[in-house]
Amino acid sequence: MNISRKIILPTFAVIFILWLEFNAKANAGNQLQQMMVADCSTDSHCVDNVNTHFSTCFDSIYEDRSDYQTVSLAAQELTTCIEQHSKAK
């Protein structure tokens, strides 16, 4: 039983930490997407572009800047990425 505790407790700790990271990323993404959609709510083309390209752009920027030290720069990169994907359509 002692060996199983040595294996089980660290395993649960790692799973919990991974879950926290995933949850934080999902919450940050959802909040940012809602803000971007609200910013362009009067322009249906803008809303469509945000909804279509947000996930792809957010995932690439989140991986590049997982520490989020420069949030405003990351937001600008996100906007630029969405604009570039929109033009590529």
Side-chain angles (χ1 to χ4, degrees), residues 20-86:
L20 287 176
E21 175 63 26
F22 174 77
N23 194 33
K25 179 181 178 182
N27 286 338
N30 289 338
Q31 290 174 356
L32 188 54
Q33 184 174 11
Q34 289 173 0
M35 289 185 338
M36 291 183 80
V37 166
D39 284 346
C40 63
S41 61
T42 58
D43 182 356
S44 63
H45 184 67
C46 176
V47 172
D48 289 342
N49 286 331
V50 170
N51 288 331
T52 302
H53 304 294
F54 181 85
S55 294
T56 302
C57 293
F58 180 77
D59 287 344
S60 67
I61 291 169
Y62 191 89
E63 289 171 7
D64 291 344
R65 297 187 182 279
S66 60
D67 58 352
Y68 272 97
Q69 292 176 341
T70 54
V71 175
S72 61
L73 181 58
Q76 181 59 44
E77 288 180 31
L78 181 62
T79 303
T80 302
C81 178
I82 290 172
E83 288 173 354
Q84 289 173 346
H85 278 81
S86 299

